[in-house]
Amino acid sequence: MEKADYIWMDGRLVEWDQAKVHILTHTLHYGNGVFEGTRAYKTDRGLAIFRLEDHTKRLLNSAKIVAIKAPYSLEELMEAQIELLRKNDFDSNVYIRPLIYLGYGVMGLYHVNAPVNVAIAAWKWGAYLGEEGLQKGIRVKVSSFARNSVKSTMGKAKAVANYLNSQMAKYEAIRAGYEEALLLDDEGFVAEGSGECLFLVRDGVLISPPNDNSLESITQDTIIRIAKDMGIPIERRRVTRDEVYIADEAFFTGTAAEVTPIREVDGRTIGNGGRGPLTERLQEAYFDIVYGRNREYDSMLTYI
Ligand code: PPE
């Protein structure tokens, strides 16, 4: 990865190479921590963070869910992210990664006495599933791993521990020659990708599963708002894997993945085998918004 100058740690800007933790950091051993992934885009009016407040709210909600007392307020965390981007003086798009974690000083599973630390890093991160993926679409495999069950984990939290499952699904998909995994829930309905939500298009209708078994995705919400504004009919309902196979179009959404078309699932070609027409329209509209080219959505941007 490409280094930046500074990382924000507990209220201080620390040089990138000095941003270290103790080996007995609680989160490293027991996996209780929460994070965000937020992008900032280089617009005509400078760098702008996309939906900063929504991402930061979700970070604090995640902490609440896993019973970590965040030591900073919403305003302080938003300000910290802005400060980090200003001090690093980036000349391109960046990805921002805030992390609330349990630090050094207490071991054992009873976590509430462990110190709570916060770090925010930002770095240049290009197309998550490749530049070609954004244009031509990616190949996806339905995972042998079920998405974390709501009976034993809490998927409304963007919790560090939830990502072991995502990692295993991603690893399996890549090893099998695909680019991304699609996870079903424990009843067999489509849940989400390893780090994305799924959309289908059938007969001009945009379909996305509800968030009972997926992260409450900010990109998914953005696409739904765009589609509403375009007058495109939207359905939030459960989807099975065979419905994905016969969709006219399919795509993934996520902060990192942005809007990535899906051209194949389990050896079945989706639609025309490339980026579908509605996918392309929504993708274009999404990029117009994040790059500040559509003033109607300017309230989603925080200019640095
Ligand atoms: N589901 C999961 C499991 C998920 O991790 C993400 C984001 C989403 C859906 C989409 O959420 P949103 O970004 O709010 O639209 N995944 C992040 C992690 C990527 C990584 O590899 O790290 C991201 O896109 O930033």
Side-chain angles (χ1 to χ4, degrees):
M1 72 190 296
E2 203 172 321
K3 288 184 194 178
D5 292 336
Y6 302 106
I7 290 179
W8 189 97
M9 291 180 87
D10 303 310
R12 291 190 309 124
L13 286 170
V14 178
E15 283 192 31
W16 181 279
D17 287 328
Q18 303 307 318
K20 295 174 182 168
V21 295
H22 195 278
I23 195 62
L24 293 180
T25 293
H26 199 280
T27 300
L28 210 48
H29 295 252
Y30 304 117
N32 191 5
V34 296
F35 67 103
E36 263 309 314
T38 310
R39 278 191 190 267
Y41 290 87
K42 187 97 186 149
T43 74
D44 281 352
R45 284 161 286 162
L47 206 55
I49 306 176
F50 185 61
R51 299 191 64 171
L52 172 64
E53 187 170 345
D54 296 316
H55 279 283
T56 311
K57 269 188 192 152
R58 190 172 66 184
L59 179 70
L60 290 174
N61 282 339
S62 295
K64 182 178 185 179
I65 290 170
V66 301
I68 291 180
K69 229 168 150 312
Y72 296 98
S73 68
L74 178 73
E75 291 70 28
E76 286 167 336
L77 289 169
M78 285 171 58
E79 199 43 53
Q81 293 170 78
I82 293 167
E83 186 195 359
L84 180 73
L85 295 201
R86 285 195 180 134
K87 291 283 162 45
N88 273 297
D89 199 20
F90 290 113
D91 60 0
S92 68
N93 297 348
V94 289
Y95 183 86
I96 308 168
R97 167 55 53 82
L99 172 71
I100 302 181
Y101 62 103
L102 300 172
Y104 162 75
V106 173
M107 291 304 269
L109 290 179
Y110 189 63
H111 72 282
V112 296
N113 297 321
V116 180
N117 296 114
V118 183
I120 309 169
W123 64 89
K124 293 180 192 174
W125 203 359
Y128 188 61
L129 295 161
E131 210 40 70
E132 198 182 311
L134 280 179
Q135 282 163 36
K136 297 193 173 146
I138 58 163
R139 296 174 55 250
V140 171
K141 179 189 188 306
V142 171
S143 185
S144 73
F145 290 92
R147 200 255 185 189
N148 290 323
S149 166
V150 294
K151 293 170 191 160
S152 55
T153 55
M154 298 185 283
K156 298 277 177 288
K158 201 167 165 64
V160 169
N162 290 347
Y163 286 86
L164 174 60
N165 196 48
S166 282
Q167 276 181 66
M168 294 302 106
K170 180 95 184 181
Y171 176 74
E172 177 189 63
I174 303 267
R175 293 295 303 219
Y178 295 82
E179 282 138 296
E180 187 52 281
L182 178 63
L183 288 86
L184 308 179
D185 65 22
D186 50 4
E187 286 185 76
F189 293 92
V190 169
E192 59 181 346
S194 72
E196 308 87 1
C197 283
L198 180 81
F199 280 89
L200 301 181
V201 179
R202 293 192 70 192
D203 297 323
V205 180
L206 192 64
I207 304 159
S208 195
N211 294 117
D212 49 1
N213 269 299
S214 57
L215 186 69
E216 287 184 338
S217 156
I218 292 166
T219 318
Q220 181 187 42
D221 175 70
T222 307
I223 290 297
I224 288 168
R225 286 204 216 174
I226 296 170
K228 271 190 191 148
D229 289 349
M230 286 177 166
I232 296 162
I234 300 154
E235 287 176 11
R236 298 296 304 275
R237 60 168 175 80
R238 298 210 285 191
V239 163
T240 51
R241 71 194 285 168
D242 52 353
E243 189 173 14
V244 181
Y245 297 161
I246 58 171
D248 302 325
E249 303 179 31
F251 60 92
F252 273 138
T253 59
T255 297
E258 298 166 312
V259 180
T260 301
I262 297 170
R263 65 182 166 92
E264 189 190 307
V265 179
D266 297 343
R268 279 79 163 180
T269 299
I270 307 301
N272 61 11
R275 176 171 56 188
L278 186 55
T279 305
E280 187 169 353
R281 264 180 77 199
L282 291 167
Q283 191 191 51
E284 221 176 81
Y286 182 76
F287 282 126
D288 277 346
I289 290 168
V290 299
Y291 280 104
R293 295 189 292 255
N294 185 341
R295 292 290 172 99
E296 275 172 43
Y297 294 82
D298 232 19
S299 62
M300 290 184 173
L301 295 172
T302 303
Y303 290 91
I304 297 307

